[in-house]
Every structure is written in C-alpha cells, then in structure tokens.
Amino acid sequence: HFESRQFGKEVINQPNANIRWFITTDYSKVFAFDARLFYSEYFGESRNGSSFSLSPRVRISDRFNVRLESSVDFIENDYGYVASLDEDYNDIILLGVRDRTIVENTLVTEFIFTKRMGIDMRVRHYWQEVKYEEFLTLLDEGVMIDNDYNPLEEDGSSSHNTSYNAFTVDFNYRWVFLPGSELRVVYKNNIFHSKNNLDVNYFETFGSLFQQPRINSVSLRVLFFIDALYFRGKKKRNA
C-alpha cells in the first residue's frame, strides 16, 4: 500500500512459496555455530530470493564469548519505487526491476565482570548493491506496463545503480546498580557511503569506505526503577 508513494496506488506482490533449513549446535560447548538456508519463489513472475547465514561462536570462558554473524542475500528481479531523474516522467509512478545483493558481517564480543556489570562490542559491516534492469509504469489496480525510461551513465550502466556501505562500531558498558535500575555508557563510530557505480566484488567496497567522514558519539543513560507500591504501603503505615 505504501511502495508507490501515492495513496490508492497499490503495488501487488504475487503469491510465493519458500523453504527454510537451519541447524544449531550446543551453546554450552567451547565452539558452536548456527547455519541457515532460505529460498523463495514467486508464482507467475521471475522474481526469487535466496540467502545463507553462518554464525560461529567461541565461548572462551563463562564470562567471555565471541561470535561472528555472516549472511549473504541474493534477490533477483525484485521491484520497487524509483524517483525519476527526468522531469518528463514526474507525473507517473515508476517501479524499477532490479537485482539486489546484500552482505552483512557482524563481530560481537561480550565480557561479564560480575552478575551486574558487563561490556559488549559490536563491529558491523553492511553492503548492498542494487543493479537495475528495466523500469515499469504503475497503473490502477496494481497493473504494471513497460516504458522507455532508462537513464544511463557514460559506460552504459543505469544511473540508478547503487552500492551502499555502512560500517559501525558500538561499544556498550552496562551496570545494574540496583534491581531494575541501570547505567549505560555507549560509544558509536559510524561510516556511511553510497555511490552509483557498482563494485566488482565485495572486497572492492573497502577501497574508499574508510576515506569517508566518520560520525562519533558518546551517550550516557541512567534508568531508575521506582516501586510505587512501596511508597503507597509506607504512606498507609504512617497514617
């Protein structure tokens, strides 16, 4: 209902079927892992999607563990809203048919000092590449028809092709100083980068990523838990 960016113009998705498989080993062991496979096929169209994820983990001690979360998604002939780059097409709703590749890697470490105090760090890299194949016009009742909209770069690639990177580091300190009350100190380091030319492969994304401006932030949050029933009971006793 919202993909078209215009009220009353729905984008209709065909029925689909999917199959999933997963395995999880014993977390109490020094080494364990999770693995997942997923495949989806849409009826009456060539759209399909598949994904694979693997998450090995090492329990160094009862207080210290490290895990890696990696996933790869492939989505073929997906379609979604496209903002026009040509004024002649501003009065129509454009949908782009595109292939999407998504790779996400996250390294998580957790260390517990006491039952009330601990730290964790999360380093995450997210990459999505979108390659446009063709463009459609959305009509009433979800009908989509071909059009001749296809802005190109000098090398013949679509001007809407996108390679997006996000590299984030989160460091979190947590102290539960009273039951239900805690103090958190969070440090964040973020890098975001988007460009219209596609990368040759996943590792090419790092070529210019760390040359981009970084966003650093530190936040402090203190949460107090107040038991209202305690004060109500105390007031009755004083009365």
Side-chain angles (χ1 to χ4, degrees):
H1 292 285
F2 305 103
E3 186 63 32
S4 68
R5 310 300 196 271
Q6 189 175 127
F7 181 76
K9 298 284 189 179
E10 296 86 2
V11 176
I12 297 178
N13 291 290
Q14 298 300 320
N16 70 86
N18 61 71
I19 183 171
R20 303 169 186 261
W21 173 89
F22 75 93
I23 183 173
T24 299
T25 61
D26 188 353
Y27 287 177
S28 65
K29 304 296 184 181
V30 174
F31 176 79
F33 72 91
D34 301 328
R36 298 178 183 271
L37 286 172
F38 171 83
Y39 180 78
S40 177
E41 184 81 28
Y42 286 79
F43 301 115
E45 58 183 60
S46 57
R47 181 162 49 146
N48 63 77
S50 59
S51 68
F52 171 73
S53 65
L54 179 65
S55 179
R57 59 179 64 210
V58 179
R59 187 172 64 86
I60 300 174
S61 70
D62 291 339
R63 296 189 178 188
F64 185 34
N65 69 82
V66 180
R67 72 177 184 272
L68 175 66
E69 302 169 354
S70 297
S71 65
V72 182
D73 297 77
F74 300 100
I75 307 171
E76 295 184 351
N77 296 313
D78 182 33
Y79 50 81
Y81 175 79
V82 174
S84 173
L85 300 178
D86 188 335
E87 293 182 358
D88 293 338
Y89 292 85
N90 285 340
D91 295 332
I92 67 174
I93 301 174
L94 289 172
L95 299 180
V97 179
R98 64 269 177 107
D99 294 336
R100 299 165 58 200
T101 302
I102 304 171
V103 179
E104 185 173 4
N105 288 295
T106 306
L107 179 66
V108 182
T109 62
E110 298 174 324
F111 186 83
I112 301 174
F113 296 110
T114 68
K115 63 181 180 180
R116 290 191 175 187
M117 185 184 301
I119 60 174
D120 63 79
M121 183 178 68
R122 180 181 296 265
V123 181
R124 172 180 175 265
H125 177 242
Y126 174 91
W127 173 63
Q128 179 170 186
E129 188 170 80
V130 182
K131 181 181 180 182
Y132 282 85
E133 301 293 344
E134 61 177 317
F135 299 88
L136 306 172
T137 299
L138 178 66
L139 304 179
D140 293 334
E141 299 180 353
V143 175
M144 293 178 285
I145 61 173
D146 295 331
N147 62 47
D148 56 0
Y149 174 80
N150 191 18
L152 300 176
E153 299 289 344
E154 293 182 358
D155 61 358
S157 62
S158 174
S159 299
H160 287 283
N161 288 349
T162 304
S163 180
Y164 173 77
N165 279 273
F167 183 84
T168 61
V169 178
D170 296 299
F171 182 85
N172 178 54
Y173 167 80
R174 179 172 179 260
W175 173 36
V176 180
F177 54 88
L178 288 173
S181 302
E182 66 177 37
L183 178 146
R184 282 183 181 266
V185 179
V186 180
Y187 166 74
K188 292 180 176 290
N189 184 312
N190 301 326
I191 304 175
F192 304 107
H193 180 47
S194 179
K195 58 185 179 181
N196 291 113
N197 57 309
L198 302 180
D199 295 303
V200 177
N201 56 57
Y202 171 72
F203 298 100
E204 289 289 331
T205 64
F206 296 100
S208 58
L209 175 61
F210 294 103
Q211 300 175 10
Q212 307 304 314
R214 303 188 181 192
I215 304 173
N216 295 280
S217 65
V218 178
S219 62
L220 172 66
R221 186 179 76 172
V222 181
L223 178 67
F224 290 96
F225 172 76
I226 300 176
D227 187 355
L229 295 178
Y230 170 80
F231 293 101
R232 182 182 299 177
K234 187 175 182 179
K235 182 178 181 180
K236 289 183 179 180
R237 289 195 297 270
N238 292 335

